[in-house]
Amino acid sequence: MPFALVLVYLLVIVAVDLMTPSNLRLDVFAALAPMTAAAACTYQQTVFVGVLDFCLMVAHHGVLNGDVAVNRAGAVVGNALMVGASIAVARLRRDGEDLLERVRATGEAAQRALLRPLPLRTHSVVVDGFYVSSQREALIGGDLYEVVDTPYGTRVLIGDVRGKGLGTLGAGAAVLTAFREAAYHRRDLESGVEAMEQGLSRYHRSAAYEARSAGAEDVVLRAAEEFVTALVFGTEESPVPEGREAGAVPVVFIDCGHLAPFLIGPEGGVRELETPDPGLPLGLGDLATATRTAQRVEMPAGGRVLACTDGVTEARDPDGGFYPLAERLDAWATLPTPELLERLRADLDAHTGGRLQDDVAVLVMERVPVGCD
């Protein structure tokens, strides 16, 4: 569309120039065509417009004809310089876009290595969801998640680094790395969470972290302020005991200062899984006198567990109202997981007017359908 408009503009200028006296030259107005093309069109289109403009002006007016040949030659040279400058600008813009695309592709590969695309499946559960970064052009930010299939069962993590955007990637990567390693070597969730705490502490003492701070006092202050809230889930494969519904999945989870998850029943109905004594966020564990304790819940056949970060519950509408997550989940509890997630994401965009104030992560965990194990 911009290319067509530029061509129309150039043809109009040429038509006006043909209908006016020969001593009235419109070269400068015609030269606006390649300049506009340089800003709005592709490099090849800019070259085409520039060459066309120059040829039309020279063909119509000539160079050495008339009583003032010097003026004519000067006008043609000026037109040629403007065309050349336009082509150079278009070339620089093209090279800049190519560089940006390469950087974006490299960043996307790195970000996808940190957070794998959903859904993620293990031998017992499938975890679907979505992630939205509050920063434009960024795939991820301060929220994190992971699903690991281990010899001890499935391990699921969702977390939120204090802050938002790309500046939180270091702490998030430290927690994710520790979680992935501990999931394979720690049978119980409590020791796995302890390993995550230690991983974040090592990151805060690393040279890379210190390089981001101005001095020793700043390092200590930043480390004290950079914590990670998290929910760590685990499922264990075991024979169905007497009294337990067939197909039910026993779920164990530890709350590290995170939002409570929701249990969605197979026939509808939503229950918040509040813990009586939620633990402190990762990074603040040394302040607690007792270790974090695991909670147990039965996920019935056809049931689902939904967990999210506070970018959902603290999303505000233009009037400052918070997003009513529990109310929405109760209304959509009978929807299939993909449709529920689609509704939730669209409704969040509508609630905030497309302007999220924080990163958003949502996970829905459910049993692998029968026959797909």
Side-chain angles (χ1 to χ4, degrees):
M1 186 64 177
F3 179 58
L5 292 176
V6 169
L7 287 179
V8 169
Y9 170 80
L10 180 58
L11 294 176
V12 169
I13 292 297
V14 171
V16 173
D17 200 21
L18 290 172
M19 294 184 293
T20 54
S22 59
N23 61 343
L24 180 61
R25 301 196 56 149
L26 302 180
D27 303 65
V28 64
F29 298 101
L32 290 175
M35 294 176 62
T36 304
C41 302
T42 66
Y43 173 71
Q44 290 80 1
Q45 291 171 343
T46 302
V47 172
F48 177 81
V49 172
V51 172
L52 179 63
D53 165 60
F54 182 76
C55 292
L56 287 174
M57 290 300 102
V58 171
H60 177 48
H61 289 285
V63 178
L64 301 176
N65 298 327
D67 298 329
V68 283
V70 174
N71 291 342
R72 290 180 177 273
V76 170
V77 171
N79 186 277
L81 290 176
M82 295 184 72
V83 169
S86 300
I87 294 175
V89 169
R91 176 64 179 268
L92 290 174
R93 188 168 68 89
R94 185 190 67 175
D95 292 346
E97 290 174 350
D98 289 345
L99 177 61
L100 179 61
E101 186 60 32
R102 290 195 297 272
V103 171
R104 184 182 291 114
T106 303
E108 180 176 347
Q111 290 172 336
R112 288 305 187 193
L114 191 62
L115 293 184
R116 297 182 293 158
L118 294 164
L120 296 169
R121 181 186 297 263
T122 69
H123 66 284
S124 59
V125 300
V126 58
V127 179
D128 203 352
F130 62 85
Y131 192 111
V132 182
S133 174
S134 61
Q135 290 194 352
R136 296 181 60 186
E137 304 297 334
L139 294 178
I140 63 176
D143 292 353
L144 52 102
Y145 64 83
E146 182 57 291
V147 180
V148 180
D149 197 1
T150 79
Y152 317 115
T154 298
R155 299 292 182 260
V156 179
L157 165 69
I158 184 170
D160 184 359
V161 184
R162 181 183 180 272
K164 60 183 179 179
L166 298 177
T168 61
L169 286 181
V175 170
L176 275 173
T177 301
F179 169 77
R180 288 165 177 160
E181 183 68 18
Y184 285 102
H185 301 288
R186 309 286 182 102
R187 175 180 291 274
D188 59 289
L189 293 188
E190 291 87 349
S191 63
V193 169
E194 182 181 351
M196 293 161 62
E197 183 91 47
Q198 294 169 353
L200 183 59
S201 178
R202 286 194 298 270
Y203 167 69
H204 286 155
R205 296 195 304 268
S206 67
Y209 187 78
E210 292 179 358
R212 295 170 51 198
S213 305
E217 293 184 3
D218 191 39
V219 171
V220 175
L221 179 62
R222 289 188 60 174
E225 293 179 346
E226 189 174 58
F227 54 82
V228 182
T229 67
L231 282 172
V232 182
F233 296 90
T235 64
E236 281 80 25
E237 293 300 314
S238 60
V240 179
E242 185 178 353
R244 178 189 292 173
E245 178 187 0
V249 178
V251 177
V252 183
F253 70 94
I254 295 180
D255 184 353
C256 303
H258 199 79
L259 294 174
F262 292 88
L263 178 63
I264 304 175
E267 305 299 330
V270 177
R271 177 166 63 94
E272 190 173 7
L273 301 176
E274 294 188 36
T275 56
D277 186 21
L280 291 176
L282 301 172
L284 303 179
D286 292 341
L287 302 179
T289 56
T291 59
R292 303 176 180 90
T293 57
Q295 309 295 319
R296 287 171 171 78
V297 64
E298 292 286 331
M299 186 169 67
R304 293 168 287 180
V305 172
L306 182 143
C308 66
T309 57
D310 61 8
V312 177
T313 57
E314 295 182 3
R316 295 175 180 266
D317 61 19
D319 297 327
F322 290 111
Y323 184 74
L325 177 62
E327 177 184 327
R328 295 292 196 270
L329 290 181
D330 190 60
W332 301 331
T334 58
L335 296 176
T337 296
E339 186 176 348
L340 186 151
L341 291 170
E342 184 179 349
R343 289 274 191 96
L344 179 55
R345 182 164 184 175
D347 197 51
L348 269 173
D349 285 339
H351 182 80
T352 61
R355 296 184 296 273
L356 287 172
Q357 295 86 19
D358 199 358
D359 305 316
V360 166
V362 177
L363 297 183
V364 176
M365 180 172 60
E366 59 186 319
R367 182 175 176 81
V368 170
V370 177
C372 297
D373 293 15

